[in-house]
Amino acid sequence: MANVICVDGPAASGKSTVSKAVAEKLGYLYVDSGALYRIMTWLALEAGVDTGKPESIADFARDVDVAFVVKGCRVAYEVGGVEPGDRIRTPEINRHVSPVSAVPEVRERVTGWLRDMRRLGDLIVEGRDIGSVVYPDSPWRFYLDADPEERARRRLVEDVAKGFADQGAKEQVKASLLNRDKIDSSRKAAPLVVPPGATRIDTTAMTIADVVDFIVSAVQP
Ligand code: DC
């Protein structure tokens, strides 16, 4: 059975950057579970589904079709033969993704996909419920965290680079992060929690390389 490393934590805690680097070091496949919730949200919005109505989202989620393709050290997602890219990372998607991902039928669908991916090889999967719900039996479960101020700083740098925000938007970015944390932590279905038995890493004062080394040494002592 393939190995799975689980990396959970709030938005902008460093999960993606760290998980991609660990995947390259260990020759594992990087899996971005948040992107699947973003794709669901994007397709629902494109189809005109009212994201304020959980039952409409649930109906829509049953028919969504995503293809999984191994590309280098990651599992890529294709919709109609193409990767959605930054279309799933806009502020509009950020606003709608938490309510969409709170719908149990959406979570069931995505959890099924994430469990199936194990047949592709050893995985490092990042998200909110990977060590608590998707792969609770994995011996390698990590929870990354950082101060909200530091997380807002990191997310602003990314958003400015993508042209989604300007330098002065830090307070807005922080408010959006905190709002998402609140919805993700308080929802009924698979809320964001530190999974019991997981290793919590506070990355506020750590470099990416420090965190990567910590995880790699834990997995391959
Ligand atoms: O990691 P991200 O910002 O791309 O995640 C987008 C949203 O998806 C996040 O607000 C909560 C949801 N999500 C989730 O509920 N469970 C996961 N395993 C991953 C993401």
Side-chain angles (χ1 to χ4, degrees), residues 15 33-34 37-38 89 97-98 101 107 127-130 180 184 187:
K15 298 185 303 281
S33 67
Y37 291 100
R38 289 172 178 277
R89 311 218 170 259
V97 68
S98 286
S101 63
R107 305 207 67 83
R128 304 289 193 290
D129 65 338
I130 309 305
R180 211 132 60 83
D184 293 345
R187 69 178 175 223

PDB file of all heavy atoms in Angstrom, residues 15 33-34 37-38 89 97-98 101 107 127-130 180 184 187, ligand 1:
ATOM      1  N   LYS A  15       1.304  25.345   3.739  1.00  0.00           N
ATOM      2  CA  LYS A  15       1.076  23.936   3.366  1.00  0.00           C
ATOM      3  C   LYS A  15       1.518  23.604   1.941  1.00  0.00           C
ATOM      4  O   LYS A  15       2.214  22.619   1.732  1.00  0.00           O
ATOM      5  CB  LYS A  15      -0.417  23.574   3.468  1.00  0.00           C
ATOM      6  CG  LYS A  15      -1.021  23.699   4.838  1.00  0.00           C
ATOM      7  CD  LYS A  15      -2.456  23.201   4.840  1.00  0.00           C
ATOM      8  CE  LYS A  15      -3.360  23.898   3.853  1.00  0.00           C
ATOM      9  NZ  LYS A  15      -3.864  25.209   4.230  1.00  0.00           N
ATOM     10  N   SER A  33      -5.687  19.212  -2.127  1.00  0.00           N
ATOM     11  CA  SER A  33      -7.120  18.905  -1.985  1.00  0.00           C
ATOM     12  C   SER A  33      -7.971  20.163  -2.086  1.00  0.00           C
ATOM     13  O   SER A  33      -9.099  20.119  -2.583  1.00  0.00           O
ATOM     14  CB  SER A  33      -7.393  18.180  -0.667  1.00  0.00           C
ATOM     15  OG  SER A  33      -7.157  19.021   0.426  1.00  0.00           O
ATOM     16  N   GLY A  34      -7.442  21.309  -1.643  1.00  0.00           N
ATOM     17  CA  GLY A  34      -8.205  22.563  -1.719  1.00  0.00           C
ATOM     18  C   GLY A  34      -8.582  22.887  -3.163  1.00  0.00           C
ATOM     19  O   GLY A  34      -9.660  23.415  -3.431  1.00  0.00           O
ATOM     20  N   TYR A  37     -11.890  21.451  -4.108  1.00  0.00           N
ATOM     21  CA  TYR A  37     -13.030  22.247  -3.626  1.00  0.00           C
ATOM     22  C   TYR A  37     -13.159  23.524  -4.448  1.00  0.00           C
ATOM     23  O   TYR A  37     -14.273  24.003  -4.711  1.00  0.00           O
ATOM     24  CB  TYR A  37     -12.867  22.565  -2.128  1.00  0.00           C
ATOM     25  CG  TYR A  37     -13.011  21.328  -1.286  1.00  0.00           C
ATOM     26  CD1 TYR A  37     -11.898  20.650  -0.795  1.00  0.00           C
ATOM     27  CD2 TYR A  37     -14.280  20.801  -1.025  1.00  0.00           C
ATOM     28  CE1 TYR A  37     -12.035  19.489  -0.050  1.00  0.00           C
ATOM     29  CE2 TYR A  37     -14.424  19.642  -0.279  1.00  0.00           C
ATOM     30  CZ  TYR A  37     -13.304  18.991   0.206  1.00  0.00           C
ATOM     31  OH  TYR A  37     -13.452  17.833   0.931  1.00  0.00           O
ATOM     32  N   ARG A  38     -12.015  24.071  -4.861  1.00  0.00           N
ATOM     33  CA  ARG A  38     -12.057  25.280  -5.702  1.00  0.00           C
ATOM     34  C   ARG A  38     -12.650  24.970  -7.076  1.00  0.00           C
ATOM     35  O   ARG A  38     -13.414  25.766  -7.631  1.00  0.00           O
ATOM     36  CB  ARG A  38     -10.643  25.860  -5.858  1.00  0.00           C
ATOM     37  CG  ARG A  38     -10.127  26.496  -4.586  1.00  0.00           C
ATOM     38  CD  ARG A  38      -8.655  26.898  -4.692  1.00  0.00           C
ATOM     39  NE  ARG A  38      -8.238  27.550  -3.471  1.00  0.00           N
ATOM     40  CZ  ARG A  38      -8.453  28.847  -3.208  1.00  0.00           C
ATOM     41  NH1 ARG A  38      -9.020  29.612  -4.110  1.00  0.00           N
ATOM     42  NH2 ARG A  38      -8.072  29.361  -2.057  1.00  0.00           N
ATOM     43  N   ARG A  89      -8.372  30.538  -8.382  1.00  0.00           N
ATOM     44  CA  ARG A  89      -7.710  31.217  -7.243  1.00  0.00           C
ATOM     45  C   ARG A  89      -8.084  32.684  -7.142  1.00  0.00           C
ATOM     46  O   ARG A  89      -7.380  33.480  -6.554  1.00  0.00           O
ATOM     47  CB  ARG A  89      -6.186  31.072  -7.351  1.00  0.00           C
ATOM     48  CG  ARG A  89      -5.792  29.648  -7.606  1.00  0.00           C
ATOM     49  CD  ARG A  89      -4.542  29.167  -6.918  1.00  0.00           C
ATOM     50  NE  ARG A  89      -4.454  27.727  -7.091  1.00  0.00           N
ATOM     51  CZ  ARG A  89      -4.778  26.840  -6.161  1.00  0.00           C
ATOM     52  NH1 ARG A  89      -5.132  27.231  -4.961  1.00  0.00           N
ATOM     53  NH2 ARG A  89      -4.702  25.547  -6.410  1.00  0.00           N
ATOM     54  N   VAL A  97     -15.762  29.487  -1.761  1.00  0.00           N
ATOM     55  CA  VAL A  97     -15.289  28.108  -1.588  1.00  0.00           C
ATOM     56  C   VAL A  97     -15.611  27.522  -0.208  1.00  0.00           C
ATOM     57  O   VAL A  97     -15.919  26.329  -0.107  1.00  0.00           O
ATOM     58  CB  VAL A  97     -13.784  27.982  -1.937  1.00  0.00           C
ATOM     59  CG1 VAL A  97     -12.898  28.715  -0.952  1.00  0.00           C
ATOM     60  CG2 VAL A  97     -13.354  26.520  -2.033  1.00  0.00           C
ATOM     61  N   SER A  98     -15.601  28.335   0.833  1.00  0.00           N
ATOM     62  CA  SER A  98     -15.884  27.759   2.158  1.00  0.00           C
ATOM     63  C   SER A  98     -17.322  27.262   2.273  1.00  0.00           C
ATOM     64  O   SER A  98     -17.541  26.125   2.711  1.00  0.00           O
ATOM     65  CB  SER A  98     -15.527  28.730   3.282  1.00  0.00           C
ATOM     66  OG  SER A  98     -14.118  28.789   3.402  1.00  0.00           O
ATOM     67  N   SER A 101     -17.580  24.076   0.244  1.00  0.00           N
ATOM     68  CA  SER A 101     -16.894  22.913   0.821  1.00  0.00           C
ATOM     69  C   SER A 101     -17.541  22.462   2.128  1.00  0.00           C
ATOM     70  O   SER A 101     -17.200  21.414   2.657  1.00  0.00           O
ATOM     71  CB  SER A 101     -15.406  23.204   1.021  1.00  0.00           C
ATOM     72  OG  SER A 101     -15.231  24.255   1.938  1.00  0.00           O
ATOM     73  N   ARG A 107     -18.106  17.147   0.075  1.00  0.00           N
ATOM     74  CA  ARG A 107     -16.999  16.540   0.824  1.00  0.00           C
ATOM     75  C   ARG A 107     -16.877  15.046   0.521  1.00  0.00           C
ATOM     76  O   ARG A 107     -15.799  14.518   0.376  1.00  0.00           O
ATOM     77  CB  ARG A 107     -17.146  16.767   2.331  1.00  0.00           C
ATOM     78  CG  ARG A 107     -17.295  18.213   2.727  1.00  0.00           C
ATOM     79  CD  ARG A 107     -16.783  18.466   4.131  1.00  0.00           C
ATOM     80  NE  ARG A 107     -15.345  18.285   4.199  1.00  0.00           N
ATOM     81  CZ  ARG A 107     -14.449  19.204   3.856  1.00  0.00           C
ATOM     82  NH1 ARG A 107     -14.833  20.399   3.449  1.00  0.00           N
ATOM     83  NH2 ARG A 107     -13.171  18.951   3.934  1.00  0.00           N
ATOM     84  N   GLY A 127      -4.423  19.864   3.021  1.00  0.00           N
ATOM     85  CA  GLY A 127      -5.815  20.297   3.084  1.00  0.00           C
ATOM     86  C   GLY A 127      -6.234  20.706   4.476  1.00  0.00           C
ATOM     87  O   GLY A 127      -5.456  21.291   5.236  1.00  0.00           O
ATOM     88  N   ARG A 128      -7.497  20.398   4.799  1.00  0.00           N
ATOM     89  CA  ARG A 128      -8.047  20.788   6.099  1.00  0.00           C
ATOM     90  C   ARG A 128      -8.462  19.581   6.940  1.00  0.00           C
ATOM     91  O   ARG A 128      -8.616  19.681   8.141  1.00  0.00           O
ATOM     92  CB  ARG A 128      -9.299  21.666   5.924  1.00  0.00           C
ATOM     93  CG  ARG A 128      -9.109  22.908   5.103  1.00  0.00           C
ATOM     94  CD  ARG A 128      -8.269  23.931   5.862  1.00  0.00           C
ATOM     95  NE  ARG A 128      -8.320  25.250   5.253  1.00  0.00           N
ATOM     96  CZ  ARG A 128      -7.769  25.569   4.094  1.00  0.00           C
ATOM     97  NH1 ARG A 128      -7.117  24.673   3.403  1.00  0.00           N
ATOM     98  NH2 ARG A 128      -7.848  26.789   3.629  1.00  0.00           N
ATOM     99  N   ASP A 129      -8.720  18.456   6.265  1.00  0.00           N
ATOM    100  CA  ASP A 129      -9.274  17.289   6.984  1.00  0.00           C
ATOM    101  C   ASP A 129      -8.558  16.018   6.556  1.00  0.00           C
ATOM    102  O   ASP A 129      -9.126  14.933   6.641  1.00  0.00           O
ATOM    103  CB  ASP A 129     -10.778  17.156   6.679  1.00  0.00           C
ATOM    104  CG  ASP A 129     -11.045  16.849   5.204  1.00  0.00           C
ATOM    105  OD1 ASP A 129     -10.178  17.148   4.359  1.00  0.00           O
ATOM    106  OD2 ASP A 129     -12.113  16.290   4.897  1.00  0.00           O
ATOM    107  N   ILE A 130      -7.346  16.143   6.066  1.00  0.00           N
ATOM    108  CA  ILE A 130      -6.661  14.975   5.494  1.00  0.00           C
ATOM    109  C   ILE A 130      -6.275  13.989   6.601  1.00  0.00           C
ATOM    110  O   ILE A 130      -6.561  12.797   6.498  1.00  0.00           O
ATOM    111  CB  ILE A 130      -5.420  15.409   4.663  1.00  0.00           C
ATOM    112  CG1 ILE A 130      -5.800  16.495   3.640  1.00  0.00           C
ATOM    113  CG2 ILE A 130      -4.792  14.189   3.974  1.00  0.00           C
ATOM    114  CD1 ILE A 130      -6.922  16.118   2.708  1.00  0.00           C
ATOM    115  N   ARG A 180     -12.467  32.947   6.413  1.00  0.00           N
ATOM    116  CA  ARG A 180     -12.421  31.590   5.887  1.00  0.00           C
ATOM    117  C   ARG A 180     -12.054  30.605   7.015  1.00  0.00           C
ATOM    118  O   ARG A 180     -12.651  29.536   7.126  1.00  0.00           O
ATOM    119  CB  ARG A 180     -11.394  31.520   4.756  1.00  0.00           C
ATOM    120  CG  ARG A 180     -11.732  30.535   3.710  1.00  0.00           C
ATOM    121  CD  ARG A 180     -11.607  31.095   2.310  1.00  0.00           C
ATOM    122  NE  ARG A 180     -10.262  31.548   2.034  1.00  0.00           N
ATOM    123  CZ  ARG A 180      -9.278  30.750   1.644  1.00  0.00           C
ATOM    124  NH1 ARG A 180      -9.482  29.457   1.544  1.00  0.00           N
ATOM    125  NH2 ARG A 180      -8.102  31.242   1.356  1.00  0.00           N
ATOM    126  N   ASP A 184     -14.302  27.471   8.064  1.00  0.00           N
ATOM    127  CA  ASP A 184     -13.688  26.135   7.949  1.00  0.00           C
ATOM    128  C   ASP A 184     -13.645  25.425   9.308  1.00  0.00           C
ATOM    129  O   ASP A 184     -13.776  24.202   9.382  1.00  0.00           O
ATOM    130  CB  ASP A 184     -12.257  26.237   7.379  1.00  0.00           C
ATOM    131  CG  ASP A 184     -12.226  26.717   5.933  1.00  0.00           C
ATOM    132  OD1 ASP A 184     -13.286  26.703   5.273  1.00  0.00           O
ATOM    133  OD2 ASP A 184     -11.149  27.122   5.461  1.00  0.00           O
ATOM    134  N   ARG A 187     -17.659  24.660  10.688  1.00  0.00           N
ATOM    135  CA  ARG A 187     -18.671  23.900   9.945  1.00  0.00           C
ATOM    136  C   ARG A 187     -18.879  22.521  10.588  1.00  0.00           C
ATOM    137  O   ARG A 187     -17.971  21.992  11.253  1.00  0.00           O
ATOM    138  CB  ARG A 187     -18.239  23.747   8.474  1.00  0.00           C
ATOM    139  CG  ARG A 187     -17.049  22.856   8.311  1.00  0.00           C
ATOM    140  CD  ARG A 187     -16.645  22.663   6.865  1.00  0.00           C
ATOM    141  NE  ARG A 187     -15.416  21.891   6.837  1.00  0.00           N
ATOM    142  CZ  ARG A 187     -14.393  22.151   6.051  1.00  0.00           C
ATOM    143  NH1 ARG A 187     -14.421  23.166   5.218  1.00  0.00           N
ATOM    144  NH2 ARG A 187     -13.322  21.392   6.103  1.00  0.00           N
TER     145      ARG A 187
HETATM  146  O1   DC B   1      -6.228  25.378   0.692  1.00  0.00           O
HETATM  147  P1   DC B   1      -7.180  26.257  -0.112  1.00  0.00           P
HETATM  148  O2   DC B   1      -7.196  27.703   0.314  1.00  0.00           O
HETATM  149  O3   DC B   1      -6.981  26.112  -1.579  1.00  0.00           O
HETATM  150  O4   DC B   1      -8.627  25.659   0.228  1.00  0.00           O
HETATM  151  C1   DC B   1      -9.788  26.233  -0.268  1.00  0.00           C
HETATM  152  C2   DC B   1     -10.985  25.920   0.603  1.00  0.00           C
HETATM  153  O5   DC B   1     -11.316  24.545   0.474  1.00  0.00           O
HETATM  154  C3   DC B   1     -10.806  26.183   2.087  1.00  0.00           C
HETATM  155  O6   DC B   1     -11.372  27.417   2.460  1.00  0.00           O
HETATM  156  C4   DC B   1     -11.548  25.077   2.769  1.00  0.00           C
HETATM  157  C5   DC B   1     -11.719  24.025   1.727  1.00  0.00           C
HETATM  158  N1   DC B   1     -10.963  22.791   1.987  1.00  0.00           N
HETATM  159  C6   DC B   1     -11.555  21.853   2.789  1.00  0.00           C
HETATM  160  O7   DC B   1     -12.638  22.093   3.299  1.00  0.00           O
HETATM  161  N2   DC B   1     -10.952  20.653   2.995  1.00  0.00           N
HETATM  162  C7   DC B   1      -9.764  20.389   2.442  1.00  0.00           C
HETATM  163  N3   DC B   1      -9.193  19.196   2.648  1.00  0.00           N
HETATM  164  C8   DC B   1      -9.112  21.363   1.644  1.00  0.00           C
HETATM  165  C9   DC B   1      -9.746  22.572   1.438  1.00  0.00           C
END
